[in-house]
Amino acid sequence: MTINWNGIETKWRNKWIESKDFETNPNDKPKKFITVAYPYPNSPQHIGHGRTYTLADVHARFYRMKGYNVLFPMGFHYTGTPVLGMAKRIGAGEKEILDGLRNIYHVPEDAIKTFVEPVKIADYFHEEIKSGMIEMGYSIDWRREFTTIVPGYQKFIEWQITTLKEKGRIIQGSHPVGWCPVDQNPVSQHDTMGDVEPKIDDKNFLIKFKFGNFIFPITTLRPETIFGITNLWVNPNTIYKKVTVDDEMWIVSEQCAKKIEFFEKQVKVIGEISGSEIIGKYATNHDGREIPVLPADFVEPSMGTGLVMSVPAHAPKDYQALMDLRIKNHELASKIEPIPIIVTEGYGSIPAKDICEKLGVSDQSDEKLEEATKALYLKEFTDGKLNDKCGQFSNEKVQFGRDKIRAWLQENNFLEKFPVLENAPVRCRCGAECVVKILNNQWFLNYGDESWKELARNCFDEMNILPNNIKTEFVEVIGWLHERACARQQGLGTKLPWDKDWIVESLSDSVIYMAYYTISRFVNDGTVTPENLTKELFDYVLLDKGDASLVASTSKLSVDTVNLLKKEFQYFYPVDSRHSGRDLVQNHLSFFVLNHVAIFPKEHWPQEIVVNGSVMMDGAKMSKSMGNIIPLRTAIKDHGADPIRLAIISSAELLQDADFNMESVSGIQNKLESLLEDCNAKVSDIGNLEAEDRWILSKTQSMISQVTEAIEKMRLREALHDILFTFESDLSWYAKRIEAKGRSDISGILHKINSARVAMLSPFAPHIAEEMWQKLGYNELVSKSSWPEYSKENIDATAIQSEEFLKSTIEDISNILKVTKITPKKIVLYVNSDSMKTKVYRKILEIMVGGQNNMGVVMKELIADPETSDAKKMPDFVQKVIKDLYSESETIKAMKLESESFDEKEFLAKELTSIGKKEFGVDITVYSENDSDIYDPKGKARHARPFKPAILIE
RNA sequence: GCGGGAGUCGCCCAGCCUGGUCAAAGGCGCAGGGCUUAGGACCCUGUCUCUAAGGAGUUCGUGGGUUCAAAUCCCACCUCCCGCACCA
């Protein structure tokens, strides 16, 4: 039988939609509010995106069956800049992006035509993604859907950001950004050629030297080396500019003069001076020392200020340049000696000299100098210590001393920040080379605030984080988080209410929006309009502040409506579970918590975060350039939604990267097909239970308990595994037993088992589970049925334990046959009947179930008890029993202890003969050790131990 | 550099928190058998080494340690992956 997946899926999806099953309103039942980070619609979703949503959907469906009133909503995050960049590129007719849209995403031509308008791109992919979600069978309440640029949402964001400001969480300050001087805009990855992220190095500094009335500003990553300066380097072939910078006069390269204009400085060129004119003169450093200026060709005017300070003891390039001059008998250079200021193990007094000699550097143009610089820099940073040349900082480790020296210089106006683009040159898509610009009126969320962090920590302490081992990462993130820009100058979104030049940044308008799901339903159905959503209304509904009638009048709503909104929010909040990918741990998920604790009272803080890993495709990372992206909708069409859901879930535990491949999809399809075939309507009632019936029914019970617990901890792979495979091996053992006995009266039992199994499968594979449920003869939907209840009373300890006994006996026989390669003519079993052995066995069992495993201790306890003191006569037996019991689970041991009067001989004689005959093709005879008519030609019987019959094979 | 994570029997991947149920689940692959006109699918058996009695030996990145007992706990080391911000 081949399943028409899409056909089945459409059929059941329509039933769900018809019965409005997933539309959730407050009622008397306990609620669960499960949310996933909404998507940014600038491309169709692929299988990787499907993972988070699928996990959340399983979660939601599970709790629905457990009897909760589950709200699982969805929105679309339009806020941000990527679609702006896309629209621009599409407008410019860029081939690369157009090809991508046509060939990878299969966007129709007439849709592409509209894409010059950014919102149209978002609108198109919004619908595309939504369709995919519906086709995947996600149980979403679509009545609450919104995008982040609709007026109602914007009202909500205005309220959020105003509230944060009122609570003192927002501050203003300066911040460096990558900037396009032509477009007059900040640039991010999406705005640059080759999609490079402009990386800003703000550990770069400028140190000021006096040169008459002028200042020589010199950039360095190592401010501590000022103590070891011997000279400055200037390129004799460069014409430098004399410029006024605010109220100082600087000498810098032309390129540098342009850069510092973007640092909020008033810059004016007032003259020129050539490098050769400066050479040979002296500048003054911070402590008044005279520093000579020497020539060096390696000085590039485009780097830093176009001037370089020389620390030959610690900078290989400086050392080599100095040596090169000495070789040419440069008079001044010959007098200069390196000044060592850092002591590092493994290096002599002049480390730069050591490393240059070690690597065999020939001259200052030698490429090996890069390597030397890097190696020495790192080594001195991690291991080096400042020496007594460094005054008050001597004896400090470099990595700590550097910051102190930096701060000290800054205080005394010898140092300023000089952020640079680490990966320069970065080109804007317009072609211009990007610069670093310092924005001085940027708005920040003050995540660095210790009191705020403390609140977040409190929240994390009480929150359930799944999987638990990612909790430490959250704690770390909260630790190092500091001010974060919350506004930007372009892109879609909501304007800052108090400063309309800025738009609320996209990671800041997506942190508490789950609250808006409780309101959006009423906006969407017209109960309220965006104009009604006043600050007073939000305060009342979300924070329980103010008075209903007052709020009603300012928001122009009835008191009833106002209270309806409030009731809805108070019913559904807090968020019970937030699902997201692990890449969002360091930003969205942490901000989600920080913003909740800043705005809401404790009872509305999030309860749980579930983090999942990403999806790989055949072991490789999915990427557009690799061409291995499979759009989710294509995959659904080709393989069916359920197989894809299961393939995603079954390939890895929560936090692991899941590997998606077609083999696993088809494996799952086959599995589901055979499961469907196994589902038949009940044709008989359950009659008298035999041993194997009691066993399989007990197994079903423990399976239910196991699966339920696994899902509660979101160990979905494990749960699915149990449903699909562990169950299978139990059932096949059962089938074997049934067949050996020639029974045909088990359809009632199988029906019962399959019902539980299908019900548990339904959150994972909801469509096909409905089909199975129908085949099982049910008229209602499985998604509306109750989760199978686990009851301990239905577990028959004796049945489980005795079936294990049967299995292990058969295993022993097969083992012997395998090793001896005998073809058996006769199999004889001898069960223990010695009452002393039984007593000792039970006593050992008792001791070991109590947790004691030590042979010596067990023996002592045995001897101490007069009932079992004879154990000292049979140490071999005791040792073997302990060993037997080591390899048994705690539950089996406990069960053995529970089932007191178990007759091994009767059981084996009754149950083993049928299956034994089938397995080994001969009759099996069972004797008791002390039977008078015993057949025991080889004297095997005395080896019998409780639950371990002796075996004779002829 | 800072922070997080991983290394398991051909491959993928469980187990580690809570030590004994672990020669270590499951899937894939491979080998043999069944089914089939054939192929596919499906089912059974095997898949570290040795073993003519249900057993033994050597394994979980490397080296130490704790323990009656270590894949699991502790220490050190090696290797690899990911994130580091104004970007969704």
Side-chain angles (χ1 to χ4, degrees):
Chain A
M1 179 179 61
T2 309
I3 293 179
N4 172 3
W5 296 98
N6 290 167
I8 286 176
E9 284 159 11
T10 314
K11 168 176 154 195
W12 294 106
R13 233 169 17 238
N14 287 339
K15 296 223 161 140
W16 298 332
I17 293 168
E18 254 169 53
S19 59
K20 299 182 189 295
D21 273 349
F22 309 130
E23 298 185 357
T24 311
N25 294 334
N27 62 21
D28 300 335
K29 291 202 274 183
K31 63 89 189 180
K32 286 277 179 194
F33 185 16
I34 294 174
T35 68
V36 197
Y38 49 24
Y40 182 77
N42 69 334
S43 63
Q45 62 189 345
H46 57 249
I47 289 173
H49 300 115
R51 186 166 184 205
T52 315
Y53 298 112
T54 301
L55 290 165
D57 184 56
V58 174
H59 205 191
R61 286 176 174 273
F62 168 71
Y63 277 121
R64 217 171 269 126
M65 289 175 74
K66 288 278 278 181
Y68 289 91
N69 190 28
V70 175
L71 175 57
F72 182 35
M74 191 56 63
F76 292 86
H77 198 198
Y78 277 34
T79 313
T81 53
V83 287
L84 260 58
M86 281 175 73
K88 221 190 232 174
R89 294 172 64 193
I90 291 165
E94 251 184 59
K95 192 173 176 315
E96 190 194 340
I97 188 165
L98 289 170
D99 284 354
L101 290 171
R102 287 179 186 129
N103 304 331
I104 300 180
Y105 298 158
H106 305 294
V107 180
E109 278 311 312
D110 42 337
I112 293 178
K113 273 188 208 128
T114 69
F115 281 8
V116 288
E117 204 184 319
V119 178
K120 296 286 188 209
I121 301 176
D123 283 341
Y124 177 86
F125 289 116
H126 169 176
E127 288 311 320
E128 176 75 16
I129 292 169
K130 182 178 175 183
S131 304
M133 288 176 166
I134 292 171
E135 285 161 9
M136 278 293 270
Y138 297 151
S139 56
I140 292 167
D141 182 353
W142 287 109
R143 298 169 308 157
R144 297 169 190 270
E145 178 192 356
F146 55 79
T147 80
T148 60
I149 57 166
V150 297
Y153 191 84
Q154 294 190 321
K155 287 281 194 174
F156 174 74
I157 294 305
E158 284 172 13
W159 172 82
Q160 174 202 330
I161 206 89
T162 306
T163 304
L164 286 168
K165 186 148 188 282
E166 283 173 2
K167 292 191 174 233
R169 298 300 183 193
I170 293 178
I171 55 173
Q172 205 171 22
S174 74
H175 185 69
V177 294
W179 182 266
C180 172
V182 175
D183 292 350
Q184 293 281 303
N185 263 330
V187 285
S188 67
Q189 194 175 348
H190 314 279
D191 310 310
T192 62
M193 287 186 173
D195 277 350
V196 282
E197 175 81 33
K199 277 190 124 177
I200 293 168
D201 183 355
D202 62 354
K203 293 267 187 294
N204 198 43
F205 306 99
L206 166 161
I207 294 177
K208 295 176 182 173
F209 291 79
K210 288 216 172 69
F211 183 70
N213 291 330
F214 284 89
I215 283 172
F216 272 163
I218 295 185
T219 59
T220 179
L221 289 162
R222 307 177 68 180
E224 75 277 11
T225 56
I226 50 150
F227 294 106
I229 288 177
T230 58
N231 60 287
L232 304 183
W233 299 116
V234 162
N235 191 326
N237 309 316
T238 300
I239 306 294
Y240 292 86
K241 300 283 177 192
K242 294 177 170 174
V243 294
T244 58
V245 176
D246 293 340
D247 48 11
E248 295 178 344
M249 289 194 291
W250 291 11
I251 293 177
V252 293
S253 69
E254 187 180 356
Q255 288 92 324
C256 173
K258 291 213 171 101
K259 279 182 209 162
I260 54 182
E261 281 176 35
F262 294 99
F263 292 179
E264 327 154 41
K265 290 183 184 295
Q266 288 297 318
V267 178
K268 211 168 124 196
V269 177
I270 53 170
E272 289 183 355
I273 182 166
S274 81
S276 50
E277 268 180 76
I278 308 168
I279 288 159
K281 299 201 166 125
Y282 288 81
T284 319
N285 81 346
H286 67 281
D287 59 5
R289 201 146 53 88
E290 296 278 295
I291 312 288
V293 181
L294 298 183
D297 295 335
F298 69 80
V299 176
E300 287 184 34
S302 62
M303 294 291 281
T305 53
L307 302 143
V308 172
M309 65 187 216
S310 171
V311 189
H314 301 288
K317 277 184 198 167
D318 295 342
Y319 174 81
Q320 196 53 48
L322 192 64
M323 290 303 118
D324 290 358
L325 281 180
R326 279 198 191 170
I327 286 169
K328 289 188 209 152
N329 287 319
H330 190 282
E331 194 192 335
L332 191 52
S334 304
K335 282 191 226 154
I336 290 173
E337 282 304 322
I339 307 172
I341 57 146
I342 297 168
V343 183
T344 309
E345 212 176 302
Y347 284 96
S349 64
I350 304 175
K353 179 176 175 229
D354 293 353
I355 197 158
C356 283
E357 285 171 1
K358 194 176 138 207
L359 294 177
V361 173
S362 54
D363 59 41
Q364 60 183 291
S365 63
D366 195 328
E367 284 173 5
K368 285 194 280 271
L369 278 170
E370 280 302 328
E371 188 193 337
T373 303
K374 240 181 165 171
L376 187 58
Y377 180 103
L378 188 63
K379 183 75 180 164
E380 290 189 329
F381 178 75
T382 51
D383 297 354
K385 241 181 178 179
L386 299 172
N387 72 7
D388 54 9
K389 285 272 189 320
C390 304
Q392 61 192 104
F393 305 102
S394 78
N395 248 337
E396 289 269 6
K397 289 197 78 173
V398 171
Q399 44 184 312
F400 306 118
R402 174 181 298 170
D403 287 340
K404 291 183 185 169
I405 292 170
R406 194 211 71 232
W408 172 70
L409 286 171
Q410 201 158 10
E411 264 168 44
N412 294 292
N413 193 30
F414 287 110
L415 177 144
E416 290 184 15
K417 280 195 163 197
F418 190 89
V420 291
L421 281 177
E422 208 175 295
N423 51 348
V426 173
R427 292 199 175 275
C428 176
R429 288 196 178 278
C430 75
E433 185 171 341
C434 299
V435 297
V436 173
K437 177 170 169 76
I438 296 179
L439 297 172
N440 65 347
N441 53 353
Q442 174 65 283
W443 295 98
F444 292 93
L445 282 160
N446 191 12
Y447 291 142
D449 181 359
E450 209 28 63
S451 69
W452 196 352
K453 287 175 188 240
E454 200 46 40
L455 277 177
R457 288 191 193 106
N458 290 344
C459 182
F460 277 114
D461 279 346
E462 289 176 27
M463 208 192 304
N464 194 22
I465 308 281
L466 296 176
N468 199 255
N469 56 8
I470 196 110
K471 195 165 188 162
T472 50
E473 191 166 337
F474 277 109
V475 173
E476 290 297 330
V477 172
I478 295 299
W480 57 248
L481 226 47
H482 54 82
E483 306 79 44
R484 180 167 183 116
C486 63
R488 54 178 303 157
Q489 296 184 315
Q490 52 175 348
L492 303 178
T494 305
K495 285 184 171 150
L496 275 188
W498 64 85
D499 189 348
K500 303 281 186 191
D501 289 343
W502 294 90
I503 291 161
V504 179
E505 194 268 329
S506 52
L507 279 175
S508 302
D509 83 343
S510 58
V511 283
I512 61 159
Y513 70 91
M514 312 85 211
Y516 187 71
Y517 284 124
T518 68
I519 294 168
S520 62
R521 166 160 93 90
F522 300 107
V523 179
N524 291 350
D525 74 8
T527 308
V528 299
T529 64
E531 291 70 43
N532 298 132
L533 299 175
T534 59
K535 182 177 185 314
E536 291 76 13
L537 181 81
F538 283 122
D539 279 347
Y540 181 72
V541 170
L542 304 176
L543 300 179
D544 196 19
K545 270 175 26 185
D547 169 80
S549 55
L550 219 66
V551 169
S553 73
T554 57
S555 63
K556 302 195 177 68
L557 288 168
S558 70
V559 172
D560 282 351
T561 308
V562 169
N563 281 324
L564 178 68
L565 292 178
K566 184 172 173 180
K567 208 184 116 206
E568 179 104 357
F569 171 76
Q570 293 197 327
Y571 176 78
F572 283 117
Y573 239 65
V575 173
D576 291 287
S577 191
R578 176 80 177 157
H579 287 253
S580 190
R582 78 166 308 171
D583 50 330
L584 299 188
V585 167
Q586 307 196 351
N587 43 54
H588 168 262
L589 287 170
S590 293
F591 302 161
F592 159 70
V593 168
L594 281 157
N595 282 271
H596 269 88
V597 300
I599 292 173
F600 292 106
K602 197 164 180 175
E603 68 263 25
H604 288 149
W605 290 1
Q607 302 294 300
E608 179 179 87
I609 285 178
V610 181
V611 182
N612 63 271
S614 62
V615 176
M616 316 268 277
M617 188 68 214
D618 286 322
K621 209 169 182 171
M622 264 192 266
S623 71
K624 230 193 287 181
S625 57
M626 301 262 298
N628 62 353
I629 291 181
I630 301 186
L632 193 59
R633 297 189 70 190
T634 311
I636 295 170
K637 214 181 288 157
D638 293 347
H639 310 286
D642 286 341
I644 288 164
R645 290 171 67 113
L646 298 197
I648 291 171
I649 290 169
S650 68
S651 83
E653 279 300 347
L654 206 47
L655 205 53
Q656 291 290 323
D657 288 343
D659 188 32
F660 186 88
N661 55 66
M662 282 311 153
E663 293 87 73
S664 67
V665 174
S666 63
I668 281 160
Q669 285 176 332
N670 295 331
K671 187 95 223 163
L672 291 176
E673 270 173 34
S674 70
L675 243 172
L676 181 60
E677 279 178 63
D678 288 344
C679 289
N680 291 305
K682 179 163 67 171
V683 295
S684 76
D685 284 323
I686 299 175
N688 278 342
L689 295 179
E690 302 213 10
E692 64 274 15
D693 300 334
R694 287 193 297 273
W695 174 79
I696 190 74
L697 289 172
S698 296
K699 275 297 209 183
T700 305
Q701 284 301 311
S702 41
M703 198 61 77
I704 290 170
S705 130
Q706 233 166 286
V707 169
T708 307
E709 197 191 323
I711 299 180
E712 274 163 358
K713 291 182 180 158
M714 282 307 284
R715 302 172 68 130
L716 298 192
R717 175 193 150 103
E718 188 182 312
L720 189 56
H721 210 273
D722 283 345
I723 296 168
L724 255 27
F725 301 106
T726 314
F727 227 117
E728 197 73 359
S729 60
D730 285 345
L731 280 171
S732 75
W733 170 253
Y734 182 64
K736 233 186 209 176
R737 292 270 277 140
I738 296 306
E739 203 194 329
K741 285 186 164 184
R743 290 176 61 193
S744 60
D745 56 342
I746 55 159
S747 68
I749 290 170
L750 286 182
H751 185 264
K752 192 172 172 181
I753 294 167
N754 280 333
S755 296
R757 196 177 180 195
V758 169
M760 290 195 289
L761 179 67
S762 81
F764 298 89
H767 311 90
I768 195 74
E770 295 288 4
E771 191 75 13
M772 293 171 183
W773 197 245
Q774 190 182 46
K775 260 190 93 187
L776 284 168
Y778 296 99
N779 296 322
E780 271 293 321
L781 292 167
V782 67
S783 53
K784 283 186 139 176
S785 72
S786 297
W787 187 255
E789 271 306 313
Y790 162 75
S791 65
K792 199 160 180 276
E793 304 81 68
N794 288 335
I795 292 195
D796 184 333
T798 311
I800 291 184
Q801 176 265 66
S802 54
E803 205 70 17
E804 292 302 321
F805 175 47
L806 185 63
K807 276 193 203 174
S808 72
T809 308
I810 289 179
E811 207 175 292
D812 281 349
I813 298 172
S814 330
N815 260 334
I816 295 169
L817 291 176
K818 190 181 137 201
V819 174
T820 60
K821 303 186 180 78
I822 303 176
T823 314
K825 293 192 199 69
K826 185 182 181 104
I827 298 177
V828 186
L829 298 184
Y830 311 94
V831 303
N832 166 66
S833 62
D834 182 319
S835 67
M836 182 47 69
K837 279 198 224 165
T838 309
K839 262 188 210 159
V840 171
Y841 185 90
R842 288 195 62 80
K843 180 75 183 178
I844 294 174
L845 204 49
E846 212 173 280
I847 297 167
M848 288 182 75
V849 168
Q852 182 54 257
N853 289 314
N854 188 321
M855 165 90 190
V857 177
V858 172
M859 194 51 123
K860 263 183 210 148
E861 283 201 37
L862 286 170
I863 296 169
D865 186 340
E867 284 277 296
T868 56
S869 63
D870 276 354
K872 60 173 174 278
K873 292 180 195 153
M874 39 176 152
D876 273 7
F877 172 76
V878 174
Q879 194 172 2
K880 281 200 170 128
V881 168
I882 293 176
K883 228 179 149 192
D884 285 349
L885 292 176
Y886 269 161
S887 58
E888 271 175 10
S889 73
E890 283 302 318
T891 40
I892 288 285
K893 276 186 259 184
M895 280 173 186
K896 275 188 174 168
L897 202 56
E898 259 176 62
S899 55
E900 225 160 299
S901 57
F902 176 68
D903 187 333
E904 290 183 40
K905 184 183 172 189
E906 188 197 332
F907 176 77
L908 287 182
K910 184 156 181 273
E911 306 295 342
L912 184 65
T913 38
S914 55
I915 189 147
K917 172 102 184 163
K918 179 149 192 306
E919 290 279 301
F920 306 114
V922 290
D923 287 321
I924 297 179
T925 327
V926 185
Y927 291 103
S928 241
E929 213 181 322
N930 58 0
D931 280 347
S932 51
D933 60 338
I934 195 166
Y935 170 79
D936 186 14
K938 292 204 173 158
K940 293 268 180 198
R942 65 192 170 83
H943 295 296
R945 299 201 296 275
F947 296 101
K948 191 82 177 167
I951 299 167
L952 171 71
I953 300 176
E954 293 184 331

